[in-house]
Amino acid sequence: ALAGIEHLYNLHWVGWPGGIVHDAARQKELKETLFNDYKYLPVFLTKKQIDDYYNGFSNSSLWPILHYMTTYTHYEDKWFEAYKTVNQLFAETILSFAHENDLLWIHDYHLMLLPALLKQRNPKLKIGFFLHTPFPSYEVFRCHPDREELLKGVLAADLVGFHTFGYLRHFRSAVLRLLSIESEINQIKYENHITHIGVFPIGIDAHKFEQEMNSRSYRKCRSDYNKIYEGKKLILCVERLDYTKGIPRRLDAIELFLSRYDEKDHIVFVFICVPSRGEVPEYQDLIELVERRVGEINGKYSTIKNVPIQFLHKSVPFSQLCALYTLADAALVTPLIDGMNLVAKEYIACQREKNGVLILSEFAGAAHELFNALVVNPYDIKQICDSIYQALTLTENYKKELIQPMKSRVMKFDSVHWSRSFINELSCLDISTDEIIPTRDVNIGTIKPFVKACNIALFLDYDGTLTEIVKNPADAYPHDDLRVLFSRLEKQETIDTYIISGRNCADMDQWFSTYSFTLIAEHGYYFKYAGQTSWSLVDTKADLSWKPAIIRIFELFTASTPGSVIEEKTSSVVWHYRRSDPEFGDWKANELVGELYEMASNLPVAIHRGKKIVEVCSTQINKGMAVEYFLHKHDYDAVLCAGDDETDENMFRLDHKQLVSIKIGNEDTLAQYKVSSPRLFRDYLKRALERNWFMEATTNE
């Protein structure tokens, strides 16, 4: 597919050279030869790596999952270890050669971890990833034990390409449901990285086929085959021998057709099945099944004059293949699932002297483009049988009407168009990312107070700000990285740290009471200074009489939304739906918020839509009021407020010239700055502590 662009780019290949070479001197010799003659950077693998990485993980674990064939899936832990090792070997080979402005294009499911491995070492590399297989429904992909790590590996690429929009849609769904990362139709924001996603249907090397059909060897093959198949209708099947291709079902349809077709002496089905993955047991079983079925059908329907199925378990020379394409009255391309299927396009490209008919599975990616094919359900044996008969009885004019628009598309949108489209889009991407991004023009003086301040206050939200949001809130306890940050904060004599959270007092006590921080619970309802044993109220007059009515509404929505739960706090009520299906949960949350605004319009409450929560609390209680409470009690030279959701906007609204506000996340905000993820915010705080507070940000400004 990339052969047509070698003259446009300084193209280098990285890959396994196809053999096992143990001797270091021989490896060195091969490296020099392959690089000098072919611009090829070899990655040498051992026999065990090939068995575990290629035959094991890639083709016995990932391939069946990607093709909806879960019953064929096997898994062993050692396979994934080998997969990680080989991806790392590819990364090391690339990093030893690649320069900063090079484009890296990674292909297919064998290297799903590679984008992340490369970005970790060199974030400035511009990386594309293309998946040549389908990407299955989330319900299927989640069956894989390493699903999250595989997705994160791919998300490190700057551009991810798919053959069809359906595969892109499934990828977005898996990212949402497995990683809880929302996306737009053309991009996914993950931490401080933007992954662009797009649809790039692969084409064939059309020029190569045109060139071959003008060659002497092609004309000889065509002349020979004309004589061999004179007076016969020829139906052609070409593919790798793979269980995704639906060959046994196709043979069932052919048997049904032969049982109904009177002119058995005049019909020939030619199967060219290229050997594939013979080391994998399922493929060994498949060839035995196919050969047995071919023998049974031929034994039943052969005549003295004709054998209905010619089965070749081998590849054929290119001239012979083109000759068969041009002679075939129909091509039978009925995979159970296929990323694209270029055989369908090759057949269309070769329709020159006559017009054949393409019978195509609706589950092949090519069906989204080849709109005039006879599209069939490969599981429907009778429909395939009827389509074979229809293909043989169409008029020549009608067949021409079907073929010509498809041929125009195949010849125009060829492999050169595909590769140039992807590379051009990758080239144009701006991959520069700032860890802290101003949301509007901010005067340098906004940050300067921290540099020489004697008294500093940090008001830090917890969930989604200092730590990542997790499905189970109990799992969000301070991890090692956070404990290191807390330890450093405790050592700063000029800094007062406030943990201001929506969590209840029990959670705050359990996780933070050992630190010398002031704790503020339930969005500002309770507070407790370091060393105190009891909690105090920020506002003793808050009205909470509205709670029973709100709880009744929440109970109705909990009953109709599987996975949702109610959390009742002293000062608020929260509806959690993180464990619900994300799209269904968001729909129900929108519905709930609408109903709350309608029924609670006369109540002294505020309604907050947070990350996978809906919360109702008193209008007399919010984080902004709590921050004001402590700012009146203490004389601070500089104040930092950081948070990630709607409840933190009350802090960001405060009008104090010494206050700096930071939003964690990419949503719209009143905060002055944004940081894309909790991890980056933790790293930023640690560096700021080491470098005398925000000096780096001041320099950048």
Side-chain angles (χ1 to χ4, degrees):
L2 293 171
I5 63 163
E6 288 181 322
H7 65 288
L8 301 174
Y9 302 94
N10 183 18
L11 195 64
H12 290 80
W13 293 89
V14 182
W16 176 52
I20 300 168
V21 182
H22 298 295
D23 182 67
R26 178 61 176 152
Q27 285 189 5
K28 182 180 179 183
E29 179 188 357
L30 281 170
K31 280 184 180 180
E32 292 174 357
T33 301
L34 289 169
F35 185 78
N36 293 333
D37 294 352
Y38 304 103
K39 296 184 178 180
Y40 189 102
L41 298 163
V43 180
F44 293 104
L45 304 179
T46 66
K47 184 180 186 307
K48 180 169 175 50
Q49 286 170 337
I50 295 163
D51 289 340
D52 291 349
Y53 154 76
Y54 184 73
N55 295 325
F57 192 85
S58 296
N59 292 326
S60 296
S61 173
L62 260 182
W63 174 269
I65 287 284
L66 293 170
H67 290 83
Y68 292 81
M69 305 287 179
T70 53
T71 55
Y72 288 95
T73 301
H74 303 287
Y75 183 86
E76 294 185 26
D77 289 336
K78 67 176 183 178
W79 290 353
F80 189 51
E81 292 305 312
Y83 187 81
K84 290 190 286 188
T85 298
V86 173
N87 274 250
Q88 185 64 53
L89 289 175
F90 270 79
E92 290 168 2
T93 301
I94 292 166
L95 291 167
S96 70
F97 181 81
H99 299 92
E100 196 166 284
N101 295 322
D102 290 345
L103 299 180
L104 302 178
W105 193 356
I106 299 165
H107 289 270
D108 229 5
Y109 60 98
H110 313 81
L111 297 169
M112 292 179 76
L113 301 181
L114 185 54
L117 294 172
L118 292 169
K119 280 289 186 180
Q120 288 164 10
R121 296 275 294 276
N122 189 346
K124 294 184 179 180
L125 289 174
K126 191 171 282 189
I127 299 173
F129 179 89
F130 192 87
L131 186 67
H132 290 267
T133 69
F135 193 92
S137 160
Y138 147 77
E139 295 290 355
V140 174
F141 190 73
R142 70 170 177 166
C143 296
H144 200 282
D146 304 305
R147 55 201 186 177
E148 290 94 347
E149 198 161 351
L150 293 168
L151 287 175
K152 289 177 181 178
V154 173
L155 283 176
D158 299 296
L159 176 62
V160 179
F162 303 90
H163 287 307
T164 74
F165 180 73
Y167 306 156
L168 181 150
R169 177 167 49 84
H170 290 323
F171 182 75
R172 291 179 60 211
S173 177
V175 167
L176 173 64
R177 288 168 168 79
L178 293 173
L179 302 180
S180 300
I181 299 172
E182 296 185 354
S183 62
E184 299 174 29
I185 198 166
N186 64 340
Q187 65 181 28
I188 301 171
K189 294 178 181 177
Y190 175 54
E191 293 196 334
N192 67 325
H193 179 71
I194 296 177
T195 305
H196 296 82
I197 50 180
V199 177
F200 304 88
I202 194 171
I204 63 170
D205 187 352
H207 176 70
K208 181 181 178 182
F209 284 87
E210 284 283 303
Q211 193 175 40
E212 181 60 34
M213 287 189 291
N214 292 322
S215 71
R216 181 180 300 175
S217 59
Y218 161 79
R219 287 194 294 271
K220 183 180 185 309
C221 288
R222 193 173 191 280
S223 176
D224 291 343
Y225 290 153
N226 251 330
K227 295 173 184 176
I228 293 170
Y229 297 111
E230 185 178 3
K232 290 183 169 62
K233 297 288 187 180
L234 175 61
I235 312 291
L236 183 63
C237 304
V238 180
E239 59 248 314
R240 284 187 310 102
L241 188 70
D242 191 284
Y243 50 73
T244 65
K245 302 300 182 181
I247 299 173
R249 280 187 170 82
R250 198 179 317 162
L251 289 170
D252 291 343
I254 290 171
E255 183 175 24
L256 179 62
F257 172 81
L258 290 172
S259 71
R260 299 176 175 181
Y261 193 62
D262 294 332
E263 300 181 33
K264 295 179 179 58
D265 287 343
H266 303 289
I267 185 79
V268 177
F269 294 86
V270 175
F271 276 78
I272 299 173
C273 291
V274 180
S276 173
R277 301 166 187 159
E279 302 86 352
V280 178
E282 286 77 12
Y283 290 79
Q284 297 167 4
D285 295 340
L286 178 62
I287 184 60
E288 290 180 11
L289 171 63
V290 169
E291 288 178 340
R292 185 175 69 250
R293 289 289 291 125
V294 169
E296 290 170 353
I297 296 169
N298 280 339
K300 190 174 182 180
Y301 294 103
S302 291
T303 68
I304 297 297
K305 296 181 179 180
N306 188 50
V307 177
I309 301 177
Q310 294 183 0
F311 180 76
L312 286 75
H313 186 213
K314 62 179 183 179
S315 58
V316 298
F318 189 53
S319 297
Q320 295 180 23
L321 179 63
C322 291
L324 287 169
Y325 277 149
T326 58
L327 282 173
D329 296 277
L332 193 53
V333 184
T334 57
L336 302 179
I337 183 76
D338 218 335
M340 173 55 70
N341 195 295
L342 294 183
V343 167
K345 294 187 176 185
E346 291 172 1
Y347 176 71
I348 294 294
C350 291
Q351 300 310 293
R352 190 161 70 175
E353 285 84 357
K354 62 185 290 187
N355 296 295
V357 179
L358 175 63
I359 303 171
L360 181 61
S361 164
E362 66 180 275
F363 301 121
H368 293 264
E369 296 181 80
L370 305 181
F371 37 83
N372 279 355
L374 301 185
V375 177
V376 297
N377 178 351
Y379 294 90
D380 189 338
I381 305 303
K382 182 178 181 299
Q383 187 184 26
I384 298 174
C385 170
D386 293 342
S387 295
I388 296 171
Y389 183 80
Q390 182 183 1
L392 298 178
T393 55
L394 291 175
T395 66
E396 289 301 315
N397 285 338
Y398 189 59
K399 287 192 287 187
K400 185 176 181 179
E401 288 178 12
L402 293 178
I403 282 290
Q404 290 307 313
M406 292 193 291
K407 182 169 182 178
S408 296
R409 179 175 180 84
V410 167
M411 303 308 284
K412 180 178 180 180
F413 299 106
D414 60 359
S415 60
V416 175
H417 177 271
W418 167 76
S419 52
R420 293 187 72 171
S421 297
F422 189 95
I423 292 172
N424 288 342
E425 184 156 337
L426 179 62
S427 302
C428 294
L429 294 180
D430 179 10
I431 65 169
S432 60
T433 56
D434 296 320
E435 292 176 351
I436 293 201
I437 309 164
T439 58
R440 58 177 184 270
D441 292 330
V442 181
N443 188 286
I444 190 171
T446 307
I447 292 178
K448 272 187 175 178
F450 288 100
V451 179
K452 297 182 180 179
C454 296
N455 296 301
I456 296 171
L458 305 182
F459 290 89
L460 307 175
D461 173 52
Y462 186 68
D463 295 281
T465 300
L466 288 173
T467 189
E468 287 73 13
I469 298 289
V470 294
K471 285 189 175 181
N472 182 5
D475 293 336
Y477 55 84
H479 45 74
D480 291 344
D481 189 42
L482 200 47
R483 288 197 290 268
V484 169
L485 174 61
F486 286 171
S487 177
R488 293 182 185 179
L489 284 171
E490 283 192 297
K491 295 175 182 177
Q492 304 295 319
E493 295 181 359
T494 61
I495 298 176
D496 288 345
T497 300
Y498 296 80
I499 306 295
I500 181 166
S501 172
R503 286 186 175 265
N504 58 39
C505 297
D507 284 347
M508 302 285 278
D509 274 332
Q510 181 181 357
W511 290 351
F512 310 122
S513 60
T514 58
Y515 299 101
S516 58
F517 302 153
T518 299
L519 306 181
I520 305 172
E522 297 195 20
H523 300 305
Y525 186 66
Y526 291 109
F527 76 93
K528 186 172 74 169
Y529 287 114
Q532 289 185 341
T533 56
S534 59
W535 290 80
S536 303
L537 296 178
V538 174
D539 184 350
T540 58
K541 299 178 181 178
D543 179 9
L544 303 177
S545 61
W546 46 267
K547 283 179 60 182
I550 297 298
I551 289 172
R552 284 194 293 272
I553 294 178
F554 278 14
E555 286 173 343
L556 291 174
F557 276 81
T558 301
S560 62
T561 312
S564 65
V565 295
I566 301 170
E567 179 188 8
E568 182 181 357
K569 303 176 185 178
T570 306
S571 62
S572 65
V573 185
V574 188
W575 187 67
H576 296 268
Y577 62 96
R578 181 160 296 279
R579 295 192 177 194
S580 303
D581 177 86
E583 290 179 307
F584 182 68
D586 283 341
W587 172 48
K588 296 297 286 186
N590 286 333
E591 194 175 281
L592 172 58
V593 169
E595 192 157 328
L596 287 171
Y597 274 120
E598 189 171 318
M599 67 85 58
S601 58
N602 296 322
L603 298 177
V605 297
I607 300 164
H608 299 298
R609 175 79 182 273
K611 293 179 179 176
K612 303 301 179 184
I613 66 163
V614 175
E615 183 168 18
V616 179
C617 61
S618 170
T619 53
Q620 299 160 293
I621 302 163
N622 63 61
K623 290 181 179 179
M625 292 178 179
V627 172
E628 288 276 24
Y629 176 86
F630 288 101
L631 292 184
H632 284 128
K633 283 179 168 287
H634 303 278
D635 186 18
Y636 292 116
D637 302 318
V639 178
L640 171 70
C641 294
D644 71 303
D645 66 18
E646 185 183 340
T647 64
D648 301 298
E649 295 296 317
N650 288 307
M651 295 193 294
F652 304 154
R653 287 189 179 92
L654 298 179
D655 185 18
H656 294 277
K657 65 179 182 179
Q658 77 274 29
L659 189 146
V660 173
S661 54
I662 297 180
K663 163 85 170 184
I664 285 68
N666 296 300
E667 299 87 357
D668 292 338
T669 181
L670 295 172
Q672 298 156 320
Y673 291 86
K674 287 181 182 178
V675 178
S676 57
S677 72
R679 180 183 63 80
L680 290 173
F681 182 60
R682 293 192 301 270
D683 291 345
Y684 184 76
L685 285 179
K686 282 186 281 189
R687 287 201 310 275
L689 290 169
E690 293 167 359
R691 301 178 185 182
N692 198 20
W693 273 101
F694 294 95
M695 183 66 75
E696 185 176 302
T698 304
T699 303
N700 289 341
E701 240 348 84

